[in-house]
Amino acid sequence: MFEFTYRALPWNIVFGVDALGQLPAELDGLDLGRALVLTTPNQADVGRRTRDLLGTRSVGLFDRAMMHVPAETVDGAMRVAGESGADCTVSVGGGSTTGLGKMLALNLDLPNVAIPTTYAGSEMTNIWGTTVDGRKRTGRDDRVVPTLTLYDPVLTLGLPAKVAGPSGLNAMAQAVANLTSGALNPMVADMALAAVRALTESLPNVVKDGDDLSARTQALYGACLAGGAIGTGTTSLHHRLCHTFGGAFRTPHAETHTVLLPHCVAYNAASTTEGTCRLAQAMQVDDPAVGLYELAKQVNAPRALKDIGVLEADLDRAAAIATETPVDNPEPVSRERVRKLLHNAFHGLAPALIR
Ligand code: NAD
């Protein structure tokens, strides 16, 4: 019998080349007119451009968003939002900037407009995250879903290949997690499979030619779908491990996903045969764990934890942190098995079944 339940999120999307130009009219339509623009120091120029585009609809720019959304950064942005009398935030940047907007939505009830410039996919989820005392805290709350997401592929043209490759594989992880984390929800799985196809096809071209607007458009759409899949779907061991490394060891987010994903797919393969098989078909490979490992190589993304700042001495502690509370995962999770997985990921070995 074919039965399922599905609860969508309140997505409101404008997608297209030069969509940024629609921001003032969109804000007027939402009756918002005192926007605090958020971005990272690296993207201060696009932050200023967005602020200038908004003219009197903007009350300022906060350009100190940081990876993993440290609690101190959230406090700083909340202070500026309060002092400037902002009635909304506009996050222009990657997942770190979207994440900061989400924390202000959660803590201050400020509507957030997301303008993603990477493939993190956070704008499609109700997942918030912040780092407090070296531990990443996450939760789900529909109030953090952006009031509007404006996707403009032109803004991703500046994304360097070395950021774009891992970022695309971070999106891939959102989709793959929803094919290899247990029972398949048909609507989530269809969204995830469409994301996998779009990302598999576009990412090599995104990295090969920074001016390939068609590939960047396809990758951004893939990221949107992948975010939608995880936003209405689930996470498992893979995300637990990524949060462990990001929170406790401050590893770069997208690169951590890139390195761990093939190993987590291999770990769960025996318990997720239908999803693994459909993933293989979407990627047009025999073994999707190996396919993801090879794709990372093709886009020049890191494949070893030792190459992204992890020390071998960290692995025991990482395995302990990751397993200190139960993980919702199709394959049983134990500290010993996770430690074996981390050994392979640390050395950049090909993904293998862990017993
Ligand atoms: P990021 O936002 O930190 O961006 C990485 C770097 O790339 C930054 O220096 C940024 O300024 C720069 N950058 C971004 N777009 C650019 C562009 N178009 N051109 C040039 N430079 C650009 O990294 P990320 O990987 O996008 O996001 C990571 C963060 O997002 C983490 O904190 C992670 O936890 C969070 N995240 C959350 C969710 C969720 O659902 N809540 C999902 C994915 C990621």
Side-chain angles (χ1 to χ4, degrees), residues 270-343:
S271 298
T272 57
T273 39
E274 186 194 346
T276 302
C277 181
R278 291 179 74 185
L279 173 59
Q281 283 165 355
M283 292 187 73
Q284 300 187 348
V285 294
D286 293 331
D287 178 341
V290 174
L292 289 162
Y293 182 76
E294 292 298 329
L295 183 59
K297 182 177 179 192
Q298 203 183 348
V299 301
N300 303 317
R303 293 191 295 169
L305 289 173
K306 66 180 162 62
D307 294 338
I308 60 168
V310 178
L311 303 175
E312 197 157 16
D314 296 334
L315 299 183
D316 285 339
R317 194 170 142 234
I321 295 174
T323 56
E324 72 190 4
T325 56
V327 193
D328 195 6
N329 192 65
E331 266 294 296
V333 173
S334 68
R335 193 198 288 201
E336 293 67 35
R337 286 179 80 187
V338 166
R339 182 63 180 79
K340 287 183 192 166
L341 182 160
L342 295 183
H343 169 87

Side-chain angles (χ1 to χ4, degrees), residues 40 42-43 67-68 94-96 102 117-118 120 122 125 127 136 155-156 158-160 163 170 174 253-254:
T40 55
N42 261 349
Q43 289 184 284
M67 181 76 76
H68 302 309
S96 301
K102 285 177 156 184
T117 63
T118 68
S122 170
T125 83
I127 304 168
K136 188 113 183 205
L155 295 175
T156 67
L159 194 64
V163 184
N170 178 196
Q174 328 275 40
H253 179 84

Side-chain angles (χ1 to χ4, degrees), residues 37 39 43-53 61 63 92:
V37 177
T39 195
Q43 289 184 284
D45 55 339
V46 69
R48 279 191 292 273
R49 228 170 7 107
T50 307
R51 181 195 60 194
D52 296 348
L53 173 72
L61 171 66
D63 60 6
V92 57

Side-chain angles (χ1 to χ4, degrees), residues 32 78 86-89 101-112 141 143-144 147:
L32 297 170
M78 282 185 6
D87 67 358
C88 67
T89 56
K102 285 177 156 184
M103 290 311 294
L104 269 65
L106 189 68
N107 295 339
L108 300 178
D109 256 337
L110 275 186
N112 172 243
D141 192 312
R143 284 178 297 161
V144 306
T147 302

